[in-house]
Amino acid sequence: MSAPALSDFVLANTTLAPVPLVPEVVLHSAVEAMDLWELTDHDQPPFWAFPWAGGQALARHLLDHPGLVRDKKVFDLASGSGLVAIAAALAGADSVTANDIDPLSLTAVQLNASANGVAVTPLPGDQLDSDAHGADVVLAGDVFYDAEITALVLPFLTRAAARGALVLMGDPDRAHLPDDRFVRCARYEVPVPWTLESTETRSATVWRA
C-alpha cells in the first residue's frame, strides 16, 4: 500500500479512544483482532491496533516516573501502536524513535503521535543487529510472546544494557519471558480487551535488564 492508503486503512478500521491504564494517551484502536488480521493479509497479527498489557504497564510506569526518560534519547523496539513511544515523549524525552517491521504499525505510530501532540520518529526494518542507534533508554513492550522472537530480541536488549543504556520492558507474565535475567521494577493490574485475552484484566510487570 502507498502511505496514504496505509493511513486510510488504519483510520477506517479503528476508533480513537483513551488507553485504559493510561488515559492520558489516545490510540487508534480496533475491537476484533481476527477480522482485522484477515483484512491486512499479513503474516503477523495487527499488533498496532490494540493497547497490549505489557505496553500499557510500561507506558504507565514512564508517565509516573518521567525522570527515567526526561531529556534522554529513547528507542522503542517493536513499537506496535506507538503507545510506549508516545508515553516516553509525553514524559519529556529529548527524542523518541519507534521501530517496527510492519508498515501499518509505523503508520499507526505516526497517526497516534499526532493525535497526542508529540513527535515520534518512525524507523522501519529489522534493527536487532544494531545498537539501538545509541539510545540512552531502550524500551520494549510485549516482545516475549514466543520462543523464536525471544531468542532474537534478548541479545539486542542485553547488548544495549551492557553498553550502559537503561533497558525497560513490560510483560504480562508470558511463558517465554526470561524473568531470571531481569530486575522487577513495578507491577500493574491492566484492563485488556476481552477479544484479545479472554479476560478483563491481566497482571503486567515492568522489568529492567
Side-chain angles (χ1 to χ4, degrees):
M1 292 188 203
S2 66
L6 289 169
S7 293
D8 289 345
F9 182 88
V10 172
L11 294 172
N13 290 283
T14 61
T15 301
L16 196 62
V19 176
L21 190 68
V22 196
E24 301 96 319
V25 177
V26 292
L27 296 179
H28 292 278
S29 301
V31 174
E32 177 53 58
M34 294 307 296
D35 291 346
L36 181 56
W37 192 358
E38 290 179 3
L39 290 174
T40 65
D41 196 30
H42 278 30
D43 292 335
Q44 63 180 11
F47 295 119
W48 53 268
F50 303 94
W52 297 85
Q56 289 196 60
L58 184 50
R60 180 73 272 154
H61 193 66
L62 295 178
L63 290 175
D64 289 346
H65 302 88
L68 294 169
V69 295
R70 184 182 295 125
D71 299 327
K72 303 289 181 59
K73 181 180 179 181
V74 174
F75 184 97
D76 182 32
L77 178 68
S79 192
S81 66
L83 168 59
V84 174
I86 290 164
L90 289 171
D94 179 62
S95 66
V96 182
T97 297
N99 168 237
D100 205 286
I101 61 172
D102 185 351
L104 277 168
S105 169
L106 296 182
T107 299
V109 167
Q110 291 177 293
L111 291 170
N112 289 330
S114 178
N116 288 278
V118 296
V120 172
T121 301
L123 179 65
D126 184 342
Q127 301 292 319
L128 293 178
D129 288 335
S130 77
D131 70 342
H133 297 261
D136 305 303
V137 182
V138 177
L139 306 172
D142 299 285
V143 296
F144 301 110
Y145 54 87
D146 69 29
E148 181 180 359
I149 294 298
T150 296
L152 294 172
V153 165
L154 194 56
F156 171 84
L157 298 175
T158 301
R159 285 197 314 274
R163 68 167 173 78
L166 173 63
V167 177
L168 296 173
M169 299 145 287
D171 189 89
D173 302 331
R174 300 204 186 276
H176 300 287
L177 169 73
D179 54 7
D180 59 328
R181 303 278 297 270
F182 307 138
V183 177
R184 186 191 302 260
C185 298
R187 192 162 176 83
Y188 300 88
E189 293 301 314
V190 184
V192 292
W194 181 274
T195 55
L196 291 181
E197 305 281 9
S198 299
T199 183
E200 292 182 347
T201 60
R202 287 204 65 167
S203 297
T205 301
V206 174
W207 300 89
R208 176 172 55 81

